[in-house]
């Protein structure tokens, strides 16, 4: 199986395009900073499939070399972006990107969440069976020897 | 640049929306289903079952598999391709839908693993291993650590809501639609196959009536419709005057069939049709890659011989499988080397040496930058 026919090439290019566009939709729509970044990485996977398909089709290793560089740059980008996400979280205590929306141009109307969130389910307190006399409260814990 | 795609006819403006829709509806219908499915899958506060959106998007995906992808080789590779591609798209769709970021990170790991399977099918074993180690190993684990550090209890705005889900999905599917239509127009061989079938019927016709069934009635005043289709669907015809002569000969013989020896005209028509069919067969092999050039006599003769069921004459070389020839100026076409790592190393350190060194510097700077950014205290910030 040495050569690749153009029909197979088309199939691989479609898969690359699908991954790229799904990643783009995820980046534009999600509000969690980490999920936005994961969508960007999905876009990079789509591009990598494209490059490797053309490399196989033309029998040229340059596509694989460029994919390796994409991998390297994606690793660097992940490191720096995650460091920044950690800083942003420390600053506002949330991963929501909408809290930073005042960084936009001033004439844009801000996003306001219309529906309130449902109440978070509280963890129920565990029910213990009552067991006889309540022990006397100790002021200082004895160390276990 | 435009000849890199098989622009089989002159690029023309969109003649009308209805014509565009009628020609490309097989490309557009799965996209529409996917758009509705993805819009329903994006997270919202009042969630309903992901099966609804997933089902619609799944139907679109199945239709896309049937109508868009074509695979002409070993069936094991075909099966593996569909499995890996399906898992990759499924993982990406799941990632859009999950509201728990840990689940979404695991879906991303599924996407990476499936696309690594596709890398292996594309003869890139080193990249498969490197991507699994770096992406699914290091990057996803780092993501999970950051999610752990940035955890909050309960529901949060970040996970349950989407920002502009409809416009986002529309933008994504408009882009996908543009790409799919261009790929379809560039690589689709349906018209070429139809023309080839017609030409083969004419080439194998035993009587004039069989040939006329395909070509049309010579007594009518209409020109040969097949000629239009030939000119519009076989790439590179204009660069090949011999084949254009054959087309004219075919038309002339068809038109003037009744004026003269019918058998002689039939033989001439069959010969022209066979020659054009041979050229079209060769064109079909490299359809979508490079434009035609002249001087492919031996290949055309071989293909014509196959069509007319000639036997090998003594002195003929054994027929070889079709080879693709290279366009001038492009790197020489050859299959990828089997020793992938050795060849990759050799080309990295000879052709791409500066890029390798720069990548090393980039990695160093990114490491320093990540440590500096994450180690800062927050009092100075907002």
């Amino acid at each position: 199986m040495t050569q690749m026919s153009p029909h197979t090439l088309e199939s691989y290019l479609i898969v690359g395009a699908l991954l790229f566009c799904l990643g783009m939709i995820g980046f534009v729509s999600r509000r969690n900073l980490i999920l936005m970044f994961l969508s960007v990485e999905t876009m990079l996977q789509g591009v990598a499939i494209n490059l490797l398909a053309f490399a196989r089709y033309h029998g040229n290793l340059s596509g694989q070399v460029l994919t390796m560089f994409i991998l390297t740059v994606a690793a660097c980008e992940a490191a720096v972006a995650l460091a920044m996400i950690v800083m942003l979280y420390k600053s506002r205590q949330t991963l929501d990107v909408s809290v930073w929306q005042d960084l936009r141009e001033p004439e844009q109307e801000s996003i306001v969440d219309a529906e309130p969130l449902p109440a978070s389910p509280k963890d129920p307190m565990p029910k213990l069976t009552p067991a006889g006399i309540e022990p006397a409260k100790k002021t200082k814990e004895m160390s276990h020897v | 640049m435009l000849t890199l795609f098989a622009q089989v006819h002159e690029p023309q403006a969109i003649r009308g929306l209805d014509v565009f829709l009628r020609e490309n509806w097989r490309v557009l219908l799965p996209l529409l289903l996917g758009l509705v499915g993805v819009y329903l899958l994006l997270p919202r506060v009042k969630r309903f079952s992901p099966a609804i959106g997933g089902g619609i998007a799944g139907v679109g995906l199945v239709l896309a598999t049937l109508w868009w992808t074509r695979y002409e080789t070993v069936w094991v590779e075909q099966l593996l391709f569909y499995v890996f591609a399906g898992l990759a798209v499924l993982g990406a769709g799941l990632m859009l839908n999950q509201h728990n970021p840990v689940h979404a990170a695991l879906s991303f790991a599924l996407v990476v693993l499936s696309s690594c399977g596709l890398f292996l099918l594309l003869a890139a074993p080193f990249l498969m291993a490197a991507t699994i180690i770096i992406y699914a190993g290091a990057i996803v684990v780092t993501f999970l650590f950051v999610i752990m550090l940035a955890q909050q209890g309960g529901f949060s705005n970040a996970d349950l809501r989407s920002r502009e889900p409809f416009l986002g999905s529309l933008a994504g599917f408009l882009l996908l639609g543009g790409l799919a239509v261009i790929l379809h127009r560039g690589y689709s061989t349906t018209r070429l196959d139809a023309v080839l079938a017609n030409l083969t019927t004419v080439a194998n016709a035993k009587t004039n009536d069989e040939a006329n069934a395909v070509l049309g009635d010579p007594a009518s005043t209409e020109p040969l419709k097949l000629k239009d289709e030939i000119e519009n669907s076989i790439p590179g015809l204009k660069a090949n005057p011999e084949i254009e002569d054959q087309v004219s000969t075919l038309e002339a013989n068809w038109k003037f069939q009744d004026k003269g020896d019918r058998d002689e005209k039939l033989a001439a028509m069959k010969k022209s049709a066979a020659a054009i069919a041979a050229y079209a067969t060769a064109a079909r092999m490299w359809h979508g890659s490079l434009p035609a050039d002249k001087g492919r006599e031996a290949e055309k003769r071989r293909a014509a011989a196959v069509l007319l069921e000639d036997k090998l004459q003594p002195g003929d070389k054994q027929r070889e499988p079709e080879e693709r020839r290279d366009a001038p100026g492009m790197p020489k076409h050859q299959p990828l080397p089997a020793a992938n790592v050795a060849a990759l190393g050799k080309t990295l350190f000879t052709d791409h040496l500066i890029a390798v060194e720069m990548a090393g510097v980039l990695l160093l700077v990114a490491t320093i930058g990540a440590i500096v950014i994450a180690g800062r205290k927050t009092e100075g910030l907002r």
Side-chain angles (χ1 to χ4, degrees), chain A residues 29 32 41 45 57 91 115, chain B residues 115 135 161 163 289 382:
Chain A
S29 315
N32 192 335
E41 299 291 333
Q45 286 293 311
Y57 180 67
S91 174
E115 308 165 34
Chain B
S115 73
Y135 258 104
R161 301 189 196 269
R163 213 170 65 225
S289 61
R382 211 153 30 113

Side-chain angles (χ1 to χ4, degrees), chain B residues 221-240:
Chain B
T221 48
E222 290 170 9
L224 184 59
K225 280 201 283 309
L226 194 59
K227 180 171 175 202
D228 266 340
E229 287 178 26
I230 291 176
E231 279 172 2
N232 281 338
S233 59
I234 300 183
L237 202 62
K238 306 252 181 321
N240 247 315

